[in-house]
Amino acid sequence: MTSAPLFPKGFLWGAATSAYQIEGSPLADGAAPSVWHRFAHTPGLVANGDTGDVACDHYRRFREDVALMKELGLTAYRFSVSWSRVLPEGTGPVNAKGLDFYRRLVDALREAGIVPLATLFHWDLPAALDDRGGWLNRDVARWFADYTRVVVRALDGVALWATLNEPWVVTHGGYLQGGLAPGHRNLFEAPLAAHNLLRAHAEGVRALKSEGTSPVGLVVNLEPKVPASRSPEDLAATARADAYMNRQFLDPVFLGRYPDELRDVFGEAWPEFPAADLDLLRTPFDFLGVNYYSRSVVRDDPSERPVRASRVRQEGALHTEMDWEVYAPGLFDILTWVTARYGRVPLYVTENGAAFSDPPSAGPDGILDPLRTGYLRDHLRAAGRALAAGVDLRGYFAWSFLDNFEWSHGFSKRFGLVHVDYATLRRTPKASGRFYAEVIRTGGASLDAAG
Ligand code: FCB
């Protein structure tokens, strides 16, 4: 029996990476440090003292990597541009050699028939801009728009643009909880950083629109928040957690307002924002990228600041090496939730994947990773169900194309479809990568039979 293909023709089948996580050579050819270079070079902040100095050496091996993408049949690839490669000071003079790297990458992708999706900011703010206040300085929106113009003019082969990756993680990890660059722990800074990220997104959209016609989007990480019980306390905690992680970023860009719960979450640290800013934040754009990894079952917990809510670990469920619950129906839930709340916005799953432990080197049988394969299979099926339910889903990008530098975890967490041996930098497609290749080849039909 053959069933109708779940995925329409032209659906993008991709994988994603980001600059600092894979490129290496962060200071080569005139590039200057980013906040992540500084963070990783501060002893004690990243597991095992790992840094992005070499990472996957993609900066020098990108042709080999594009050939591997082609071998796996990827039809799209999401990468990010390192701001401090292109503009070492963050503003001002352009580093032609840095820009050239991305030009060559985009050309190689085009030649291989792979659609390039470029993210302009995936966490590696130029250190020179951090010295000027970084995301706390209101001028950052203009700096970002100027940088956007430089990149867009140079890379006309990019088919889809994303402004920011996961503003929530930047503000929560970078300004409040401190585990990510630039490592601040300040309740009062977090909402200002979040607001300036969204202002930068909006100014970036305007810059892109004034330069050309490629669709432009925003990438957010979303997590369905599910109450642990029907108690009024747990229900209120769930609403706060949802407002903090999900609606803090989507309500302003689609509805022009912040969720009411944020006043309660931040207390006196919640500022009054100028009304004109909220008009700016609502600047129309073309698609939303959704990064989905897990859900969160939430209970009221006054000791957890600032949301006064904590996650209830689902004992008995499979968890990844990140201790994230594997919960594929959550992808369907979140895609249909976005569509119900904000309208039928064109969506891409811009990241989805799992860290499970693989050996450091591939043996004669390659890398057999049934847990990652199962994760992909179940999430791709959930994506298919979302399509069937009327979600305007246009593509799926697995995180990640390669094993890479997983931020504060260093190289200890492997998310790749392709294994990287960090001693030799040898690449080996994993069984999950081969599985995904077959899904792509059959336009999703092989998912029906896949166990
Ligand atoms: C996301 C990031 C990505 C990667 C995955 C595991 O939050 O966007 O760079 O670290 O998580």
Side-chain angles (χ1 to χ4, degrees):
M1 190 190 79
T2 53
S3 50
L6 292 172
F7 299 90
K9 251 195 156 37
F11 187 84
L12 296 184
W13 298 100
T17 63
S18 89
Y20 191 76
Q21 294 180 276
I22 65 162
E23 286 177 358
S25 309
L27 306 181
D29 299 330
S34 68
V35 290
W36 265 98
H37 179 80
R38 280 188 178 169
F39 192 85
H41 278 267
T42 305
L45 297 186
V46 172
N48 307 311
D50 290 343
T51 71
D53 289 2
V54 176
C56 307
D57 197 27
H58 173 77
Y59 187 68
R60 296 189 298 180
R61 294 169 195 246
F62 73 92
R63 288 189 198 283
E64 181 193 335
D65 290 336
V66 172
L68 253 179
M69 291 172 206
K70 189 170 175 182
E71 188 188 315
L72 291 177
L74 300 188
T75 65
Y77 174 56
R78 173 175 177 241
F79 64 96
S80 81
V81 176
S82 157
W83 189 338
S84 56
R85 260 193 216 295
V86 172
L87 298 173
E89 295 306 309
T91 58
V94 174
N95 177 33
K97 283 189 174 166
L99 205 45
D100 228 52
F101 165 68
Y102 296 106
R103 221 182 256 127
R104 285 183 282 128
L105 173 63
V106 171
D107 287 350
L109 290 166
R110 286 274 167 196
E111 268 162 42
I114 298 168
V115 171
L117 188 168
T119 303
L120 286 153
F121 173 73
H122 198 126
W123 304 2
D124 46 356
L125 189 75
L129 294 184
D130 191 50
D131 290 341
R132 296 163 74 184
W135 291 110
L136 301 173
N137 186 330
R138 277 183 68 85
D139 290 345
V140 72
R142 185 168 43 79
W143 301 335
F144 182 73
D146 291 347
Y147 155 65
T148 296
R149 253 179 240 106
V150 169
V151 178
V152 170
R153 282 181 192 155
L155 304 184
D156 53 3
V158 168
L160 294 153
W161 291 98
T163 53
L164 312 176
N165 180 69
E166 300 189 349
W168 179 79
V169 178
V170 177
T171 62
H172 179 75
Y175 290 87
L176 201 152
Q177 171 266 344
L180 302 175
H184 299 196
R185 290 173 188 230
N186 187 320
L187 184 69
F188 287 76
E189 289 181 356
L192 295 177
H195 186 71
N196 284 333
L197 277 151
L198 288 178
R199 288 178 53 249
H201 154 74
E203 294 287 7
V205 169
R206 290 181 179 197
L208 275 151
K209 294 280 172 198
S210 69
E211 292 297 324
T213 53
S214 302
V216 48
L218 170 69
V219 173
V220 289
N221 59 297
L222 299 177
E223 218 173 77
K225 303 288 185 185
V226 186
S229 80
R230 306 307 300 171
S231 76
E233 291 78 14
D234 285 349
L235 291 175
T238 305
R240 288 194 300 275
D242 177 56
Y244 180 55
M245 183 187 278
N246 301 324
R247 286 179 283 124
Q248 178 173 192
F249 299 90
L250 296 184
D251 279 9
V253 300
F254 289 121
L255 309 176
R257 55 175 156 79
Y258 283 106
D260 292 337
E261 293 93 337
L262 293 181
R263 207 171 280 284
D264 180 15
V265 168
F266 285 102
E268 61 166 334
W270 183 252
E272 280 304 325
F273 294 114
D277 280 8
L278 287 155
D279 292 341
L280 170 70
L281 299 196
R282 214 178 171 179
T283 301
F285 57 99
D286 306 307
F287 70 88
L288 185 72
V290 175
N291 295 352
Y292 173 78
Y293 289 94
S294 189
R295 67 157 173 181
S296 171
V297 177
V298 179
R299 72 176 170 87
D300 183 49
D301 181 354
S303 71
E304 267 302 313
R305 293 288 160 170
V307 276
R308 310 193 314 278
S310 59
R311 177 178 72 125
V312 181
R313 194 171 191 281
Q314 299 303 290
E315 301 305 338
L318 177 62
H319 287 68
T320 70
E321 285 282 298
M322 304 291 282
D323 201 31
W324 296 344
E325 181 193 353
V326 175
Y327 188 72
L331 179 58
F332 173 87
D333 296 345
I334 207 69
L335 295 174
T336 50
W337 174 80
V338 168
T339 300
R341 182 170 176 84
Y342 302 108
R344 204 162 172 273
V345 185
L347 300 180
Y348 292 86
V349 173
T350 33
E351 288 180 26
N352 175 241
F356 288 113
S357 83
D358 302 311
S361 303
D365 296 332
I367 298 285
L368 302 176
D369 56 343
L371 294 177
R372 190 176 290 103
T373 301
Y375 184 101
L376 284 176
R377 178 199 60 211
D378 293 350
H379 286 77
L380 284 163
R381 283 179 176 160
R385 284 197 293 115
L387 265 164
V391 169
D392 186 4
L393 182 65
R394 303 193 177 184
Y396 172 93
F397 293 78
W399 183 272
S400 176
F401 175 57
L402 298 171
D403 288 337
N404 61 45
F405 176 84
E406 178 48 35
W407 310 113
S408 58
H409 299 281
F411 297 102
S412 67
K413 309 290 178 204
R414 293 178 178 270
F415 278 90
L417 299 172
V418 173
H419 178 272
V420 176
D421 182 328
Y422 293 115
T424 60
L425 295 170
R426 187 163 150 240
R427 279 77 161 133
T428 308
K430 301 179 190 176
S432 58
R434 301 279 176 214
F435 168 83
Y436 188 43
E438 185 62 9
V439 172
I440 299 173
R441 198 184 62 78
T442 61
S446 66
L447 286 168
D448 284 349

